[in-house]
Amino acid sequence: MARDLAPTLSDMRRAIARLRRLRDEADLTLAPFSDERALVERFIEIISEASRSIPQDVKDDFPHMGWRRVADVGNHIRHAYHRVDREILLNIMEHDLDLLDETLSRIQSRLSGE
């Protein structure tokens, strides 16, 4: 399982790194249909979709993560794009990335120790 999950975790962490870079290097306006908003939404979608590939038993070991919320945000962006508030995106970038990245790092460490 570690080999199968490794690319997923890596993709998620790369998307987080890109979001952090955008957050830290730019004065984000996240205006509708702007390139920066499209990038932010796409990286969040990647994280969301990839999270669905993490086995439930692994998720169960990290209940603090709010896995359902991680998965659901991608659906919201895809299916209710016209109602995605800028503040939701900024909140994810400001408050959720660090916890998710730390959790993914812990999962990677655990899998590499198997």
Side-chain angles (χ1 to χ4, degrees), residues 47-97:
I47 293 165
S48 171
E49 191 61 32
S51 75
R52 296 168 185 272
S53 300
I54 299 173
Q56 189 60 48
D57 63 318
V58 174
K59 291 177 184 177
D60 289 345
D61 290 338
F62 300 92
H64 65 281
M65 191 53 252
W67 296 107
R68 171 58 35 206
R69 189 169 155 254
V70 174
D72 287 349
V73 72
N75 284 338
H76 188 71
I77 290 171
R78 282 187 291 279
H79 301 293
Y81 67 90
H82 55 289
R83 291 188 308 220
V84 176
D85 184 11
R86 171 186 183 273
E87 296 306 315
I88 291 170
L89 299 174
L90 289 173
N91 188 53
I92 289 168
M93 293 178 73
E94 289 296 322
H95 301 289
D96 297 334
L97 297 180

